[in-house]
Amino acid sequence: MSDSLAFSDATRGKIHTLLGRYPRKQGALIPVLYLAQDEFGWLRPEVMELVAKELELPVATVLATATFYTMLYKKPVGRFHVQICVNVSCYLLGSDELMSIAQETLGIAPGQTSSDGLFSLEAVQCLCACDRAPTLQINQTDYFKVKGADFRNVLTQMQTEGTRLGPRPGWLEFQGDHDHHAHADQEAPHA
Amino acid sequence: MPEQRILLRSHLGVDFTRLDDYIKHGGFAMWAKAQTLGPAGVTAEVKASGLRGRGGAGFPTGVKWGFLPNDGRTRYLVVNADEGEPGTFKDRYFLELDPFRQLEGILLACYAIGAHVSYIYIRGEYWNSKKVTQDAIDQLYAAGWLGKNIQGSGFDCDVYVHSGAGAYICGEETALIESIEGKPGMPRLKPPFPANYGAFGMPTIVNNTETLASVPVILEMGGQAWSDLGSPRNGGTKLVGVAGHVKNPGLFEVPMGTPMREIIYDLGGGILDDRAILAIIPGGSSCPFLTAEDLDVPMDFDSLKSKGSMLGTACITVMAEGLTDLLEVMRRITGFYEHESCGQCTPCRQGTGWLYAIADKMCKGQADESHIDLLISACNNIDGNTICAHGEAAAWPIRSIAKKFRPQLAAEIAKRAAARA
């Protein structure tokens, strides 16, 4: 493990609070993995080792849990993580059109991240707002009853904002390690 | 109109995310009543109400509460707010717009079963639900409605939000418990049941959000009076959703046993362009499909079972003639169950992949009619051969489509194969 990697004091405080909620330290594993990816961008191996050390768990235990859940990132995601529901209710009301708009505007396919680290595009399963289909989620914000023209505008605005913000933490380390271009996710959901 | 609103009150225009407003409208009044009834009295009212689990399984809640052993071990109440079944959108209402209703139910349930810690397992993607619910919990601690010695009663209760992380299988109660313990969400073999060996090996009750939100209402009305609102053995009112090809999609509340036709046509406004109905999923994508012939079925657990389907979450998806590509619907549903299989049982891990591969071939014009039989055969080999119900959830709806819509599927498969050739 690289010696420089450590949680911030603020994160350490949150971990301490979380540990008080569970009778075993492993109970706090998923919430702590969320905190870790907030701080470091994604769960690269050194980050999982840090979590293991913090919670006094075998690294394999942390790895087993982290790899089971799609929202725990084993690869960096873009500054804007665009997730379009493609399940039945949204499909019935036009989610394929939204996916085409995203691909066209962002120049990436579902499961890919743009080479500048600003956008990830994903086809996701039901977001459970079927009465307001078609739906999508960008980072932590829901969009309901999405119209094609509005979606195009949102993406265009985010392209401008993304240029200002740059990629998430951890993106440059990933680029340095792999020098990937528009890398595909291992597990692209069915589009 | 068939609606009867008791739980659902978004029409009042009140901000129920504020504790003051919740209390002003009668919130937490049932805590005093619970103190006079005592824990056994609260459980007795819930038993009398006949309340059946609103997560979809329909198990009687009061009976479940009675399964906890009296052996002095720590007890937990775990709340299943992992709403993720495709087609479903009901618990979101409580989590985002009326969070104290569920929290009052949690407090009453903890008091009834003698639990002092409750974990609310909220689906990871529900960012707003997690925020609103956590904010409501913070308000309750500040006002002495959670924590030590609640309102001077001597009863202690802590409630924590535990976020899911993107795994549908964690809606299965034992997978959910594994996930709270920090493990991959792989369902456990039962027995032992959670009531004996649940979270962290302790006696645990797992209840759905809507189930718990119904508890304050049951205490207020009295169990029997609440039960009488619904149909026999299917008591109370129920949140129902209508989505898909309807004019007025939304979330409503009706007495249990209200005919599906009234929900789709009176509340849901009827079908887009006044088309005919091709197919109906009564309560989430794991329910076997119904057709327009079934429209008069009462929406309750027993009536839908008698039609070979399930009430499930009672959120209806309607598919119209002329607007629905059934092969593509199958591909989306099979793709979902393949993606969400936890992978520990071979019939599910492999079988869901087979279902998707067959549906995909059908969509791409690479199949013939014999693939319908292959699909049914794969379903039969999953059904009943897995630890949890994920296998059945994948097999039942697909088998129902294959059997009920065979002529339409065969024609479409032939058409696509011809177009490709």
Side-chain angles (χ1 to χ4, degrees), chain A residues 31-99:
Chain A
V32 170
L33 285 168
Y34 269 116
L35 291 176
Q37 77 181 14
D38 282 350
E39 183 154 347
F40 302 111
W42 60 288
L43 301 172
R44 59 186 197 271
E46 297 79 10
V47 173
M48 290 203 236
E49 285 169 25
L50 180 68
V51 169
K53 199 175 146 199
E54 189 69 33
L55 298 181
E56 297 173 322
L57 294 170
V59 176
T61 300
V62 175
L63 198 66
T65 294
T67 52
F68 187 83
Y69 297 94
T70 55
M71 291 175 70
L72 301 175
Y73 304 137
K74 279 71 67 181
K75 286 186 174 182
V77 294
R79 171 62 69 182
F80 296 105
H81 190 190
V82 181
Q83 305 186 82
I84 300 174
C85 173
V86 296
N87 212 291
V88 174
S89 307
C90 286
Y91 156 69
L92 291 173
L93 294 172
S95 63
D96 286 359
E97 189 208 335
L98 298 178
M99 185 56 85

Side-chain angles (χ1 to χ4, degrees), chain B residues 271-339:
Chain B
I271 314 305
L272 291 180
D273 312 332
D274 296 315
R275 287 168 185 267
I277 289 176
L278 176 68
I280 303 163
I281 314 177
S285 66
S286 62
C287 301
F289 279 45
L290 298 175
T291 67
E293 287 176 17
D294 304 308
L295 272 171
D296 292 311
V297 65
M299 280 289 279
D300 63 42
F301 291 106
D302 297 334
S303 303
L304 277 152
K305 196 173 172 201
S306 74
K307 287 278 179 193
S309 189
M310 301 188 289
L311 179 66
T313 60
C315 288
I316 302 168
T317 309
V318 180
M319 287 164 250
E321 291 260 18
L323 296 176
T324 307
D325 174 353
L326 266 185
L327 294 184
E328 191 59 49
V329 167
M330 284 208 294
R331 178 154 73 169
R332 307 279 163 148
I333 292 178
T334 53
F336 171 78
Y337 287 101
E338 184 200 14
H339 186 256

Side-chain angles (χ1 to χ4, degrees), chain B residues 87-163:
Chain B
T88 299
F89 47 92
K90 64 177 188 69
D91 294 333
R92 188 192 269 275
Y93 167 74
F94 297 106
L95 299 166
E96 296 188 355
L97 296 175
D98 206 344
F100 294 108
R101 185 81 91 168
Q102 167 180 246
L103 288 161
E104 184 176 355
I106 289 170
L107 179 60
L108 295 168
C110 281
Y111 176 71
I113 67 173
H116 300 288
V117 174
S118 176
Y119 298 103
I120 310 178
Y121 190 99
I122 302 182
R123 178 180 186 184
E125 292 88 342
Y126 270 20
W127 294 103
N128 191 34
S129 297
K130 289 187 280 186
K131 189 173 156 290
V132 172
T133 301
Q134 183 59 56
D135 182 61
I137 290 171
D138 294 343
Q139 291 180 59
L140 290 176
Y141 273 104
W145 281 106
L146 286 177
K148 299 274 176 227
N149 189 22
I150 289 166
Q151 303 294 314
S153 65
F155 186 74
D156 303 339
C157 188
D158 286 306
V159 177
Y160 306 119
V161 169
H162 185 103
S163 173

Side-chain angles (χ1 to χ4, degrees), chain A residues 42 44 76 115 170-180 183:
Chain A
W42 60 288
R44 59 186 197 271
S115 56
W171 174 254
L172 293 175
E173 290 91 321
F174 180 73
Q175 290 297 87
D177 282 355
H178 302 269
D179 198 24
H180 275 194
H183 42 277

Side-chain angles (χ1 to χ4, degrees), chain B residues 196-384:
Chain B
N196 258 306
Y197 192 92
F200 306 103
M202 296 299 169
T204 301
I205 294 295
V206 185
N207 284 147
N208 165 261
T209 289
E210 185 188 349
T211 305
L212 288 162
S214 302
V215 170
V217 172
I218 287 167
L219 283 201
E220 191 181 341
M221 294 182 69
Q224 189 58 49
W226 187 84
S227 178
D228 291 345
L229 295 172
S231 44
R233 304 202 308 117
N234 293 266
T237 58
K238 174 84 189 76
L239 296 195
V240 294
V242 191
H245 293 141
V246 292
K247 292 176 186 170
N248 182 38
L251 185 65
F252 309 98
E253 183 176 5
V254 296
M256 280 279 241
T258 299
M260 182 183 277
R261 182 188 299 277
E262 291 180 23
I263 296 167
I264 293 175
Y265 283 91
D266 296 349
L267 300 176
I271 314 305
L272 291 180
D273 312 332
D274 296 315
R275 287 168 185 267
I277 289 176
L278 176 68
I280 303 163
I281 314 177
S285 66
S286 62
C287 301
F289 279 45
L290 298 175
T291 67
E293 287 176 17
D294 304 308
L295 272 171
D296 292 311
V297 65
M299 280 289 279
D300 63 42
F301 291 106
D302 297 334
S303 303
L304 277 152
K305 196 173 172 201
S306 74
K307 287 278 179 193
S309 189
M310 301 188 289
L311 179 66
T313 60
C315 288
I316 302 168
T317 309
V318 180
M319 287 164 250
E321 291 260 18
L323 296 176
T324 307
D325 174 353
L326 266 185
L327 294 184
E328 191 59 49
V329 167
M330 284 208 294
R331 178 154 73 169
R332 307 279 163 148
I333 292 178
T334 53
F336 171 78
Y337 287 101
E338 184 200 14
H339 186 256
E340 301 299 337
S341 172
C342 85
Q344 67 177 329
C345 305
T346 306
C348 174
R349 183 185 64 246
Q350 299 295 312
T352 54
W354 272 73
L355 298 184
Y356 175 74
I358 298 165
D360 189 48
K361 273 185 186 295
M362 289 174 169
C363 286
K364 288 176 175 161
Q366 299 167 345
D368 58 48
E369 194 178 341
S370 74
H371 284 81
I372 299 176
D373 298 309
L374 188 60
L375 204 55
I376 293 171
S377 161
C379 289
N380 292 342
N381 283 310
I382 299 170
D383 189 358

